[in-house]
Structures are given as structure tokens and as C-alpha cells.
Amino acid sequence: EFTNFGAELNHRFANGWQARLAANNFNVSTFENSLYVRGPIDPDDGIGVGEPYFNNDGESGYNLDASLTGEYDAFGRVHQFVVGASYLSSNMSFDESYGVDETPFNIYDPDYSIPVAGGEFVNFFNQSRDYRQVGVYGQTNFRVTDRLRLIGGGRLSWADFDSVDRNNPARILAGYDENAVLTPMLGAVYDLTD
């Protein structure tokens, strides 16, 4: 199941510059309750060992982006400029278990009415993962001639990630922090035709 909600506000100033604020909220969830046949299968009667499996995973989060875009005059030409900031927060959860009670299952004549939700389950994967990122960015589109434009800018980012075992919250499985990481951008565009 996937749900996504977004909203955007735009405002144009008298000088032609435009402010934009965009927000987005998302939620993704998956649910599986099934029976896996594992191990050897008897070729004569098609009987194998069925192992119940349960999975309830998901991700939710939101992101915000604010920017200011406009034109400016320099050296007798009109150029474009954008500056902005963004924020992203995401939480992923994983809850997966397998059943202790094994069930004979015939692959030649499957019985899909076998209940797989009952019985005892052992949780083997129960994690929570959190990710956050903040960034500021800017870019200019500088018109050198009628056909040649130079594009330059960059993004400065801060991010952190951690993965926690929910069966033992004190146990950090993975994590990292990034502080003020600069991603520069430089390019050129030349119009071959008018």
C-alpha cells in the first residue's frame, strides 16, 4: 500500500522573482503472510515441508523544499539564479518472522486453505532505520553570449542515519553522520541553433 500527499505554494514578486514552498508526505507498507516450501520434495508424492512466514514492513516520511528563483542583470545580459533549502526525514521498519510449526505441503495438489497465521513464530528481523538530511543549494545560469551559458552552483548537505535492533534497542546495527558535505556543480551549454 502506498499513499502520498503533497502541497505546493508559489508566489511571484513584482520584480519577477518567484518563491516556492513544497511539502510531501509518504507512507509505504507491505504485508505478507505466506507458506514457504523448503528442503527436499518427495518426487513421488510432491510432499515438502511448509514453513509459515510473516512480514510487515514499511516506510514513512516527509520532505520540504523552499526556493527562490529569479533573473538578474550583469555585463549587459540577463542571467538566472536559484537558491534554496531542503529537509528530508524517513523512517523504515522491518518486522519479519518465521513459524515454528512446520506443515506438510503437497506441491502437486496444493491446499491453499492451510492457515499460516496461527502457531508460534520466531522473530528473526526486527529493525528500525531512521534517515534525516538537510541541505542548502544555489545555482546560477550565466549567459556569456547569446549561445553560450555557464552553469555553476553547489549543494551543502548534512545527513545522519542509524539502524536499531528493536528487539534490543541499545544495539545500534549501523549508522553514519555527514556534516557540511559540499557537492559542487559546473557545466556549460552551447546552443547549436537559434
Side-chain angles (χ1 to χ4, degrees):
E1 182 181 334
F2 176 73
T3 57
N4 187 47
F5 299 99
E8 184 173 314
L9 294 174
N10 288 280
H11 177 74
R12 185 174 295 276
F13 297 95
N15 63 0
W17 282 64
Q18 183 170 330
R20 174 181 173 269
L21 176 63
N24 185 57
N25 181 278
F26 60 91
N27 193 307
V28 182
S29 61
T30 61
F31 177 80
E32 180 182 352
N33 192 6
S34 57
L35 186 75
Y36 284 92
V37 178
R38 62 172 181 82
I41 296 173
D42 189 322
D44 295 328
D45 57 16
I47 300 293
V49 176
E51 181 178 272
Y53 173 80
F54 172 82
N55 143 351
N56 189 8
D57 300 338
E59 180 181 8
S60 62
Y62 63 93
N63 61 299
L64 303 169
D65 186 84
S67 63
L68 183 65
T69 306
E71 296 181 338
Y72 63 98
D73 295 323
F75 306 104
R77 296 185 180 276
V78 178
H79 317 281
Q80 291 81 37
F81 183 75
V82 60
V83 63
S86 63
Y87 178 78
L88 168 67
S89 177
S90 170
N91 172 265
M92 293 172 279
S93 62
F94 304 90
D95 184 4
E96 301 179 14
S97 305
Y98 64 87
V100 174
D101 302 326
E102 297 177 340
T103 304
F105 192 82
N106 189 332
I107 66 166
Y108 298 153
D109 185 21
D111 179 4
Y112 296 110
S113 67
I114 294 176
V116 296
E120 182 181 350
F121 279 79
V122 174
N123 184 264
F124 70 92
F125 192 64
N126 192 353
Q127 288 186 18
S128 177
R129 298 177 184 173
D130 291 305
Y131 177 75
R132 287 161 298 279
Q133 184 185 84
V134 177
V136 292
Y137 56 90
Q139 177 182 306
T140 187
N141 193 325
F142 195 86
R143 188 168 287 279
V144 180
T145 69
D146 289 342
R147 292 192 174 185
L148 176 62
R149 288 172 289 149
L150 296 180
I151 302 169
R155 177 182 171 91
L156 200 58
S157 300
W158 294 260
D160 66 270
F161 167 83
D162 59 72
S163 178
V164 176
D165 183 348
R166 290 192 299 195
N167 292 327
N168 181 7
R171 182 176 172 223
I172 304 297
L173 301 174
Y176 68 83
D177 289 308
E178 293 182 342
N179 292 303
V181 176
L182 177 63
T183 306
M185 192 271 289
L186 183 64
V189 175
Y190 186 81
D191 298 327
L192 296 176
T193 62
D194 296 332

Short mmCIF file of all heavy atoms in Angstrom, two decimals, residues 120-184:
data_model
loop_
_atom_site.label_atom_id
_atom_site.label_comp_id
_atom_site.label_asym_id
_atom_site.label_seq_id
_atom_site.Cartn_x
_atom_site.Cartn_y
_atom_site.Cartn_z
N GLU A 120 3.20 -20.71 16.67
CA GLU A 120 4.26 -19.92 17.27
C GLU A 120 5.21 -19.40 16.19
O GLU A 120 5.60 -20.13 15.28
CB GLU A 120 5.03 -20.78 18.27
CG GLU A 120 6.12 -20.04 19.01
CD GLU A 120 6.88 -20.94 19.97
OE1 GLU A 120 6.43 -22.08 20.20
OE2 GLU A 120 7.92 -20.50 20.46
N PHE A 121 5.58 -18.13 16.32
CA PHE A 121 6.50 -17.51 15.37
C PHE A 121 7.76 -17.05 16.10
O PHE A 121 7.72 -16.66 17.27
CB PHE A 121 5.85 -16.31 14.69
CG PHE A 121 4.96 -16.67 13.55
CD1 PHE A 121 3.66 -17.13 13.78
CD2 PHE A 121 5.39 -16.56 12.24
CE1 PHE A 121 2.84 -17.47 12.73
CE2 PHE A 121 4.56 -16.88 11.18
CZ PHE A 121 3.27 -17.34 11.42
N VAL A 122 8.89 -17.08 15.39
CA VAL A 122 10.15 -16.58 15.91
C VAL A 122 10.54 -15.36 15.09
O VAL A 122 10.67 -15.44 13.86
CB VAL A 122 11.25 -17.65 15.83
CG1 VAL A 122 12.60 -17.05 16.23
CG2 VAL A 122 10.91 -18.84 16.70
N ASN A 123 10.70 -14.24 15.76
CA ASN A 123 11.08 -13.01 15.07
C ASN A 123 12.58 -13.04 14.78
O ASN A 123 13.40 -13.17 15.69
CB ASN A 123 10.73 -11.80 15.95
CG ASN A 123 11.02 -10.50 15.24
OD1 ASN A 123 12.06 -9.91 15.43
ND2 ASN A 123 10.10 -10.07 14.42
N PHE A 124 12.95 -12.95 13.50
CA PHE A 124 14.36 -13.01 13.14
C PHE A 124 14.88 -11.70 12.56
O PHE A 124 16.08 -11.51 12.37
CB PHE A 124 14.63 -14.15 12.15
CG PHE A 124 14.08 -13.93 10.77
CD1 PHE A 124 14.84 -13.35 9.79
CD2 PHE A 124 12.79 -14.33 10.47
CE1 PHE A 124 14.33 -13.15 8.51
CE2 PHE A 124 12.27 -14.13 9.20
CZ PHE A 124 13.04 -13.54 8.23
N PHE A 125 13.99 -10.76 12.28
CA PHE A 125 14.43 -9.49 11.68
C PHE A 125 13.47 -8.41 12.13
O PHE A 125 12.33 -8.36 11.69
CB PHE A 125 14.45 -9.61 10.16
CG PHE A 125 15.15 -8.49 9.46
CD1 PHE A 125 16.50 -8.27 9.63
CD2 PHE A 125 14.45 -7.65 8.61
CE1 PHE A 125 17.15 -7.23 8.97
CE2 PHE A 125 15.09 -6.61 7.94
CZ PHE A 125 16.44 -6.41 8.12
N ASN A 126 13.92 -7.56 13.06
CA ASN A 126 13.06 -6.51 13.60
C ASN A 126 13.91 -5.26 13.77
O ASN A 126 14.57 -5.08 14.77
CB ASN A 126 12.46 -6.97 14.93
CG ASN A 126 11.35 -6.07 15.40
OD1 ASN A 126 11.09 -5.02 14.80
ND2 ASN A 126 10.69 -6.45 16.46
N GLN A 127 13.87 -4.40 12.75
CA GLN A 127 14.75 -3.24 12.73
C GLN A 127 13.96 -1.96 12.49
O GLN A 127 12.89 -1.97 11.88
CB GLN A 127 15.80 -3.36 11.63
CG GLN A 127 16.88 -4.36 11.88
CD GLN A 127 17.95 -4.30 10.81
OE1 GLN A 127 18.06 -3.31 10.07
NE2 GLN A 127 18.75 -5.34 10.71
N SER A 128 14.55 -0.88 12.95
CA SER A 128 14.05 0.46 12.66
C SER A 128 15.22 1.26 12.10
O SER A 128 16.32 1.25 12.68
CB SER A 128 13.52 1.12 13.93
OG SER A 128 13.11 2.44 13.66
N ARG A 129 15.00 1.92 10.97
CA ARG A 129 16.05 2.71 10.33
C ARG A 129 15.56 4.14 10.15
O ARG A 129 14.51 4.36 9.57
CB ARG A 129 16.44 2.10 8.98
CG ARG A 129 17.00 0.71 9.08
CD ARG A 129 17.31 0.12 7.73
NE ARG A 129 17.77 -1.25 7.84
CZ ARG A 129 17.98 -2.05 6.80
NH1 ARG A 129 17.78 -1.61 5.58
NH2 ARG A 129 18.40 -3.29 6.99
N ASP A 130 16.33 5.08 10.65
CA ASP A 130 15.99 6.49 10.56
C ASP A 130 17.03 7.23 9.72
O ASP A 130 18.23 7.04 9.91
CB ASP A 130 15.92 7.13 11.95
CG ASP A 130 14.74 6.61 12.75
OD1 ASP A 130 13.61 6.71 12.25
OD2 ASP A 130 14.96 6.10 13.86
N TYR A 131 16.52 8.07 8.82
CA TYR A 131 17.41 8.85 7.94
C TYR A 131 16.91 10.28 7.90
O TYR A 131 15.71 10.52 7.74
CB TYR A 131 17.42 8.25 6.53
CG TYR A 131 18.26 9.03 5.55
CD1 TYR A 131 19.65 8.97 5.60
CD2 TYR A 131 17.68 9.84 4.59
CE1 TYR A 131 20.44 9.69 4.72
CE2 TYR A 131 18.45 10.57 3.70
CZ TYR A 131 19.83 10.49 3.77
OH TYR A 131 20.60 11.21 2.90
N ARG A 132 17.83 11.22 8.08
CA ARG A 132 17.50 12.64 8.01
C ARG A 132 18.56 13.35 7.18
O ARG A 132 19.75 13.04 7.27
CB ARG A 132 17.45 13.25 9.41
CG ARG A 132 16.25 12.82 10.22
CD ARG A 132 16.44 13.04 11.70
NE ARG A 132 17.55 12.27 12.24
CZ ARG A 132 17.49 10.99 12.58
NH1 ARG A 132 16.36 10.34 12.44
NH2 ARG A 132 18.54 10.37 13.07
N GLN A 133 18.10 14.32 6.38
CA GLN A 133 19.03 15.09 5.57
C GLN A 133 18.56 16.54 5.46
O GLN A 133 17.37 16.80 5.25
CB GLN A 133 19.15 14.51 4.16
CG GLN A 133 20.19 15.22 3.30
CD GLN A 133 20.21 14.72 1.88
OE1 GLN A 133 19.43 15.16 1.06
NE2 GLN A 133 21.09 13.77 1.59
N VAL A 134 19.51 17.46 5.65
CA VAL A 134 19.26 18.89 5.48
C VAL A 134 20.24 19.39 4.42
O VAL A 134 21.41 18.98 4.41
CB VAL A 134 19.48 19.66 6.80
CG1 VAL A 134 19.30 21.16 6.58
CG2 VAL A 134 18.53 19.17 7.86
N GLY A 135 19.78 20.26 3.55
CA GLY A 135 20.66 20.77 2.52
C GLY A 135 20.32 22.20 2.13
O GLY A 135 19.16 22.61 2.23
N VAL A 136 21.33 22.94 1.74
CA VAL A 136 21.14 24.27 1.14
C VAL A 136 21.84 24.23 -0.21
O VAL A 136 22.86 23.57 -0.38
CB VAL A 136 21.70 25.40 2.03
CG1 VAL A 136 20.87 25.53 3.30
CG2 VAL A 136 23.15 25.16 2.38
N TYR A 137 21.25 24.90 -1.18
CA TYR A 137 21.80 24.83 -2.52
C TYR A 137 21.64 26.17 -3.25
O TYR A 137 20.81 27.01 -2.88
CB TYR A 137 21.12 23.72 -3.33
CG TYR A 137 19.62 23.84 -3.43
CD1 TYR A 137 19.03 24.56 -4.48
CD2 TYR A 137 18.78 23.25 -2.49
CE1 TYR A 137 17.65 24.68 -4.58
CE2 TYR A 137 17.41 23.35 -2.58
CZ TYR A 137 16.85 24.07 -3.62
OH TYR A 137 15.49 24.19 -3.71
N GLY A 138 22.45 26.34 -4.26
CA GLY A 138 22.38 27.53 -5.10
C GLY A 138 22.94 27.22 -6.47
O GLY A 138 23.81 26.35 -6.63
N GLN A 139 22.43 27.92 -7.46
CA GLN A 139 22.91 27.71 -8.83
C GLN A 139 22.66 28.96 -9.65
O GLN A 139 21.63 29.62 -9.51
CB GLN A 139 22.18 26.52 -9.47
CG GLN A 139 22.57 26.27 -10.91
CD GLN A 139 21.80 25.11 -11.52
OE1 GLN A 139 21.78 24.03 -10.97
NE2 GLN A 139 21.14 25.37 -12.64
N THR A 140 23.62 29.28 -10.50
CA THR A 140 23.43 30.38 -11.43
C THR A 140 23.61 29.88 -12.85
O THR A 140 24.42 28.98 -13.11
CB THR A 140 24.40 31.55 -11.15
OG1 THR A 140 24.06 32.65 -11.98
CG2 THR A 140 25.84 31.14 -11.37
N ASN A 141 22.83 30.45 -13.73
CA ASN A 141 22.89 30.15 -15.16
C ASN A 141 23.34 31.44 -15.83
O ASN A 141 22.54 32.35 -16.04
CB ASN A 141 21.50 29.71 -15.63
CG ASN A 141 21.51 29.08 -17.00
OD1 ASN A 141 22.30 29.50 -17.85
ND2 ASN A 141 20.64 28.13 -17.22
N PHE A 142 24.64 31.53 -16.10
CA PHE A 142 25.26 32.77 -16.54
C PHE A 142 25.41 32.78 -18.06
O PHE A 142 26.11 31.93 -18.62
CB PHE A 142 26.63 32.93 -15.86
CG PHE A 142 27.21 34.30 -15.96
CD1 PHE A 142 26.88 35.26 -15.03
CD2 PHE A 142 28.10 34.62 -16.97
CE1 PHE A 142 27.42 36.54 -15.10
CE2 PHE A 142 28.64 35.89 -17.06
CZ PHE A 142 28.30 36.85 -16.13
N ARG A 143 24.74 33.73 -18.71
CA ARG A 143 24.77 33.78 -20.18
C ARG A 143 25.98 34.61 -20.62
O ARG A 143 26.01 35.82 -20.46
CB ARG A 143 23.48 34.38 -20.72
CG ARG A 143 23.37 34.29 -22.23
CD ARG A 143 21.98 34.60 -22.71
NE ARG A 143 21.02 33.55 -22.42
CZ ARG A 143 20.88 32.44 -23.14
NH1 ARG A 143 21.67 32.22 -24.18
NH2 ARG A 143 19.97 31.56 -22.82
N VAL A 144 26.98 33.92 -21.18
CA VAL A 144 28.21 34.57 -21.64
C VAL A 144 27.99 35.24 -22.99
O VAL A 144 28.39 36.38 -23.21
CB VAL A 144 29.36 33.55 -21.72
CG1 VAL A 144 30.64 34.21 -22.19
CG2 VAL A 144 29.56 32.88 -20.36
N THR A 145 27.35 34.50 -23.91
CA THR A 145 26.98 35.03 -25.22
C THR A 145 25.53 34.62 -25.47
O THR A 145 24.89 33.99 -24.63
CB THR A 145 27.88 34.47 -26.34
OG1 THR A 145 27.61 33.07 -26.50
CG2 THR A 145 29.36 34.65 -26.01
N ASP A 146 25.03 34.96 -26.65
CA ASP A 146 23.67 34.57 -26.99
C ASP A 146 23.51 33.05 -27.01
O ASP A 146 22.42 32.54 -26.79
CB ASP A 146 23.26 35.15 -28.35
CG ASP A 146 23.06 36.66 -28.29
OD1 ASP A 146 22.91 37.17 -27.15
OD2 ASP A 146 23.06 37.31 -29.34
N ARG A 147 24.59 32.34 -27.28
CA ARG A 147 24.51 30.88 -27.38
C ARG A 147 25.19 30.13 -26.25
O ARG A 147 24.89 28.95 -26.04
CB ARG A 147 25.13 30.42 -28.71
CG ARG A 147 24.31 30.84 -29.93
CD ARG A 147 24.79 30.15 -31.16
NE ARG A 147 23.93 30.42 -32.29
CZ ARG A 147 24.06 29.87 -33.49
NH1 ARG A 147 25.05 29.01 -33.70
NH2 ARG A 147 23.24 30.16 -34.46
N LEU A 148 26.10 30.74 -25.55
CA LEU A 148 26.88 30.03 -24.53
C LEU A 148 26.43 30.44 -23.13
O LEU A 148 26.37 31.62 -22.80
CB LEU A 148 28.37 30.33 -24.68
CG LEU A 148 29.30 29.72 -23.62
CD1 LEU A 148 29.23 28.19 -23.66
CD2 LEU A 148 30.72 30.23 -23.80
N ARG A 149 26.12 29.42 -22.32
CA ARG A 149 25.75 29.64 -20.92
C ARG A 149 26.67 28.81 -20.04
O ARG A 149 26.92 27.63 -20.33
CB ARG A 149 24.30 29.23 -20.66
CG ARG A 149 23.28 30.18 -21.25
CD ARG A 149 21.88 29.64 -21.14
NE ARG A 149 21.68 28.51 -22.06
CZ ARG A 149 20.87 27.49 -21.83
NH1 ARG A 149 20.20 27.41 -20.69
NH2 ARG A 149 20.72 26.54 -22.72
N LEU A 150 27.16 29.40 -18.97
CA LEU A 150 27.92 28.68 -17.95
C LEU A 150 27.01 28.46 -16.75
O LEU A 150 26.31 29.38 -16.31
CB LEU A 150 29.15 29.47 -17.53
CG LEU A 150 30.21 29.72 -18.62
CD1 LEU A 150 31.37 30.51 -18.04
CD2 LEU A 150 30.71 28.39 -19.20
N ILE A 151 27.02 27.24 -16.23
CA ILE A 151 26.16 26.88 -15.10
C ILE A 151 27.05 26.48 -13.95
O ILE A 151 27.92 25.60 -14.09
CB ILE A 151 25.21 25.73 -15.47
CG1 ILE A 151 24.36 26.12 -16.69
CG2 ILE A 151 24.32 25.36 -14.29
CD1 ILE A 151 23.58 24.98 -17.29
N GLY A 152 26.86 27.11 -12.83
CA GLY A 152 27.67 26.80 -11.66
C GLY A 152 26.84 26.84 -10.40
O GLY A 152 25.86 27.59 -10.30
N GLY A 153 27.22 26.02 -9.45
CA GLY A 153 26.49 26.01 -8.20
C GLY A 153 26.97 24.89 -7.30
O GLY A 153 28.03 24.30 -7.51
N GLY A 154 26.17 24.58 -6.31
CA GLY A 154 26.53 23.51 -5.40
C GLY A 154 25.47 23.29 -4.35
O GLY A 154 24.50 24.04 -4.23
N ARG A 155 25.68 22.23 -3.61
CA ARG A 155 24.79 21.86 -2.51
C ARG A 155 25.63 21.50 -1.30
O ARG A 155 26.62 20.77 -1.41
CB ARG A 155 23.91 20.68 -2.91
CG ARG A 155 23.00 20.18 -1.79
CD ARG A 155 22.18 18.97 -2.23
NE ARG A 155 21.48 18.38 -1.11
CZ ARG A 155 20.25 18.70 -0.72
NH1 ARG A 155 19.59 19.63 -1.38
NH2 ARG A 155 19.70 18.11 0.31
N LEU A 156 25.23 22.01 -0.15
CA LEU A 156 25.87 21.71 1.11
C LEU A 156 24.90 20.88 1.92
O LEU A 156 23.76 21.30 2.16
CB LEU A 156 26.23 23.01 1.84
CG LEU A 156 27.29 22.98 2.93
CD1 LEU A 156 28.62 22.45 2.39
CD2 LEU A 156 27.46 24.36 3.54
N SER A 157 25.33 19.67 2.35
CA SER A 157 24.41 18.72 2.96
C SER A 157 24.89 18.25 4.33
O SER A 157 26.09 18.09 4.56
CB SER A 157 24.24 17.48 2.06
OG SER A 157 23.72 17.83 0.80
N TRP A 158 23.91 18.00 5.19
CA TRP A 158 24.11 17.36 6.48
C TRP A 158 23.16 16.17 6.53
O TRP A 158 21.98 16.30 6.19
CB TRP A 158 23.78 18.30 7.64
CG TRP A 158 24.69 19.47 7.76
CD1 TRP A 158 25.75 19.60 8.61
CD2 TRP A 158 24.64 20.70 7.01
NE1 TRP A 158 26.35 20.82 8.45
CE2 TRP A 158 25.69 21.51 7.47
CE3 TRP A 158 23.81 21.17 5.99
CZ2 TRP A 158 25.94 22.77 6.95
CZ3 TRP A 158 24.05 22.42 5.46
CH2 TRP A 158 25.11 23.21 5.95
N ALA A 159 23.65 15.00 6.94
CA ALA A 159 22.81 13.81 6.95
C ALA A 159 23.21 12.89 8.10
O ALA A 159 24.37 12.87 8.51
CB ALA A 159 22.91 13.05 5.62
N ASP A 160 22.24 12.15 8.61
CA ASP A 160 22.56 11.11 9.59
C ASP A 160 21.61 9.94 9.40
O ASP A 160 20.46 10.10 8.98
CB ASP A 160 22.51 11.64 11.03
CG ASP A 160 21.12 12.05 11.45
OD1 ASP A 160 20.75 13.22 11.25
OD2 ASP A 160 20.40 11.19 12.00
N PHE A 161 22.13 8.77 9.71
CA PHE A 161 21.40 7.51 9.51
C PHE A 161 21.74 6.58 10.66
O PHE A 161 22.88 6.50 11.10
CB PHE A 161 21.81 6.86 8.18
CG PHE A 161 21.36 5.44 8.02
CD1 PHE A 161 20.07 5.14 7.59
CD2 PHE A 161 22.21 4.38 8.32
CE1 PHE A 161 19.66 3.83 7.46
CE2 PHE A 161 21.81 3.08 8.18
CZ PHE A 161 20.52 2.80 7.75
N ASP A 162 20.73 5.89 11.18
CA ASP A 162 21.00 4.84 12.16
C ASP A 162 19.99 3.72 12.01
O ASP A 162 18.85 3.93 11.61
CB ASP A 162 21.01 5.37 13.60
CG ASP A 162 19.70 6.02 13.98
OD1 ASP A 162 18.72 5.30 14.17
OD2 ASP A 162 19.67 7.26 14.11
N SER A 163 20.46 2.53 12.30
CA SER A 163 19.64 1.32 12.22
C SER A 163 19.70 0.64 13.58
O SER A 163 20.79 0.35 14.08
CB SER A 163 20.17 0.39 11.13
OG SER A 163 19.42 -0.80 11.08
N VAL A 164 18.53 0.40 14.18
CA VAL A 164 18.45 -0.12 15.53
C VAL A 164 17.71 -1.45 15.54
O VAL A 164 16.70 -1.63 14.83
CB VAL A 164 17.71 0.89 16.45
CG1 VAL A 164 17.53 0.33 17.85
CG2 VAL A 164 18.47 2.21 16.49
N ASP A 165 18.21 -2.39 16.32
CA ASP A 165 17.53 -3.66 16.55
C ASP A 165 16.41 -3.42 17.55
O ASP A 165 16.66 -3.12 18.72
CB ASP A 165 18.53 -4.68 17.10
CG ASP A 165 17.92 -6.06 17.29
OD1 ASP A 165 16.68 -6.19 17.22
OD2 ASP A 165 18.69 -7.01 17.52
N ARG A 166 15.16 -3.52 17.12
CA ARG A 166 14.04 -3.22 18.02
C ARG A 166 13.85 -4.28 19.09
O ARG A 166 13.19 -4.03 20.09
CB ARG A 166 12.75 -3.03 17.21
CG ARG A 166 12.78 -1.75 16.41
CD ARG A 166 11.45 -1.40 15.84
NE ARG A 166 10.96 -2.42 14.93
CZ ARG A 166 9.95 -2.23 14.09
NH1 ARG A 166 9.33 -1.08 14.05
NH2 ARG A 166 9.57 -3.19 13.28
N ASN A 167 14.43 -5.46 18.89
CA ASN A 167 14.40 -6.46 19.96
C ASN A 167 15.39 -6.11 21.06
O ASN A 167 15.28 -6.61 22.18
CB ASN A 167 14.71 -7.86 19.40
CG ASN A 167 13.61 -8.36 18.49
OD1 ASN A 167 12.44 -8.06 18.70
ND2 ASN A 167 13.99 -9.10 17.47
N ASN A 168 16.37 -5.28 20.73
CA ASN A 168 17.38 -4.83 21.69
C ASN A 168 17.75 -3.39 21.32
O ASN A 168 18.75 -3.15 20.64
CB ASN A 168 18.61 -5.75 21.64
CG ASN A 168 19.68 -5.33 22.63
OD1 ASN A 168 19.47 -4.45 23.45
ND2 ASN A 168 20.84 -5.96 22.53
N PRO A 169 16.95 -2.39 21.74
CA PRO A 169 17.14 -1.00 21.29
C PRO A 169 18.51 -0.42 21.57
O PRO A 169 18.91 0.54 20.92
CB PRO A 169 16.04 -0.24 22.05
CG PRO A 169 15.01 -1.27 22.37
CD PRO A 169 15.77 -2.55 22.59
N ALA A 170 19.24 -0.96 22.54
CA ALA A 170 20.58 -0.45 22.83
C ALA A 170 21.59 -0.87 21.77
O ALA A 170 22.70 -0.35 21.73
CB ALA A 170 21.03 -0.92 24.20
N ARG A 171 21.19 -1.80 20.92
CA ARG A 171 22.11 -2.34 19.90
C ARG A 171 21.96 -1.54 18.60
O ARG A 171 20.95 -1.66 17.92
CB ARG A 171 21.81 -3.81 19.67
CG ARG A 171 22.73 -4.47 18.67
CD ARG A 171 22.43 -5.96 18.57
NE ARG A 171 23.17 -6.54 17.49
CZ ARG A 171 22.67 -7.42 16.63
NH1 ARG A 171 21.44 -7.84 16.76
NH2 ARG A 171 23.41 -7.92 15.66
N ILE A 172 22.94 -0.73 18.29
CA ILE A 172 22.97 0.02 17.04
C ILE A 172 23.60 -0.87 15.97
O ILE A 172 24.74 -1.30 16.10
CB ILE A 172 23.77 1.33 17.18
CG1 ILE A 172 23.20 2.19 18.33
CG2 ILE A 172 23.77 2.10 15.87
CD1 ILE A 172 21.80 2.65 18.12
N LEU A 173 22.85 -1.15 14.91
CA LEU A 173 23.34 -2.05 13.87
C LEU A 173 24.23 -1.33 12.87
O LEU A 173 25.18 -1.90 12.35
CB LEU A 173 22.15 -2.71 13.16
CG LEU A 173 21.22 -3.52 14.07
CD1 LEU A 173 20.01 -3.99 13.29
CD2 LEU A 173 21.96 -4.70 14.68
N ALA A 174 23.89 -0.10 12.57
CA ALA A 174 24.67 0.67 11.60
C ALA A 174 24.33 2.13 11.79
O ALA A 174 23.28 2.48 12.32
CB ALA A 174 24.35 0.23 10.17
N GLY A 175 25.22 3.00 11.34
CA GLY A 175 24.96 4.42 11.42
C GLY A 175 26.09 5.24 10.84
O GLY A 175 27.22 4.77 10.73
N TYR A 176 25.76 6.45 10.43
CA TYR A 176 26.78 7.38 9.96
C TYR A 176 26.25 8.80 10.06
O TYR A 176 25.04 9.03 10.14
CB TYR A 176 27.22 7.05 8.52
CG TYR A 176 26.17 7.29 7.47
CD1 TYR A 176 25.95 8.56 6.93
CD2 TYR A 176 25.39 6.25 6.99
CE1 TYR A 176 24.99 8.78 5.97
CE2 TYR A 176 24.44 6.45 6.01
CZ TYR A 176 24.24 7.72 5.51
OH TYR A 176 23.29 7.93 4.55
N ASP A 177 27.19 9.74 10.07
CA ASP A 177 26.87 11.17 10.06
C ASP A 177 27.71 11.84 8.99
O ASP A 177 28.89 11.52 8.83
CB ASP A 177 27.21 11.82 11.42
CG ASP A 177 26.25 11.39 12.51
OD1 ASP A 177 25.03 11.50 12.29
OD2 ASP A 177 26.72 10.95 13.57
N GLU A 178 27.09 12.75 8.27
CA GLU A 178 27.81 13.57 7.29
C GLU A 178 27.53 15.02 7.63
O GLU A 178 26.37 15.41 7.79
CB GLU A 178 27.37 13.25 5.87
CG GLU A 178 27.74 11.86 5.39
CD GLU A 178 27.32 11.60 3.95
OE1 GLU A 178 26.46 12.35 3.44
OE2 GLU A 178 27.85 10.67 3.35
N ASN A 179 28.59 15.82 7.74
CA ASN A 179 28.43 17.22 8.13
C ASN A 179 29.04 18.13 7.07
O ASN A 179 30.21 18.01 6.74
CB ASN A 179 29.11 17.48 9.48
CG ASN A 179 28.39 16.76 10.60
OD1 ASN A 179 27.21 16.96 10.80
ND2 ASN A 179 29.11 15.90 11.31
N ALA A 180 28.20 19.03 6.56
CA ALA A 180 28.64 20.06 5.61
C ALA A 180 29.40 19.46 4.43
O ALA A 180 30.52 19.88 4.11
CB ALA A 180 29.47 21.11 6.33
N VAL A 181 28.81 18.47 3.79
CA VAL A 181 29.42 17.86 2.60
C VAL A 181 29.03 18.69 1.38
O VAL A 181 27.85 18.90 1.10
CB VAL A 181 28.94 16.40 2.43
CG1 VAL A 181 29.51 15.82 1.14
CG2 VAL A 181 29.36 15.57 3.62
N LEU A 182 30.03 19.18 0.69
CA LEU A 182 29.80 20.04 -0.47
C LEU A 182 29.80 19.22 -1.75
O LEU A 182 30.72 18.45 -2.01
CB LEU A 182 30.88 21.13 -0.55
CG LEU A 182 30.79 22.06 -1.77
CD1 LEU A 182 29.50 22.86 -1.74
CD2 LEU A 182 32.01 22.98 -1.82
N THR A 183 28.75 19.40 -2.54
CA THR A 183 28.67 18.78 -3.87
C THR A 183 28.65 19.91 -4.89
O THR A 183 27.62 20.56 -5.09
CB THR A 183 27.40 17.93 -4.01
OG1 THR A 183 27.35 16.97 -2.95
CG2 THR A 183 27.38 17.21 -5.34
N PRO A 184 29.77 20.20 -5.52
CA PRO A 184 29.81 21.30 -6.50
C PRO A 184 29.25 20.87 -7.84
O PRO A 184 29.17 19.68 -8.15
CB PRO A 184 31.30 21.63 -6.59
CG PRO A 184 31.98 20.33 -6.27
CD PRO A 184 31.09 19.60 -5.31
#
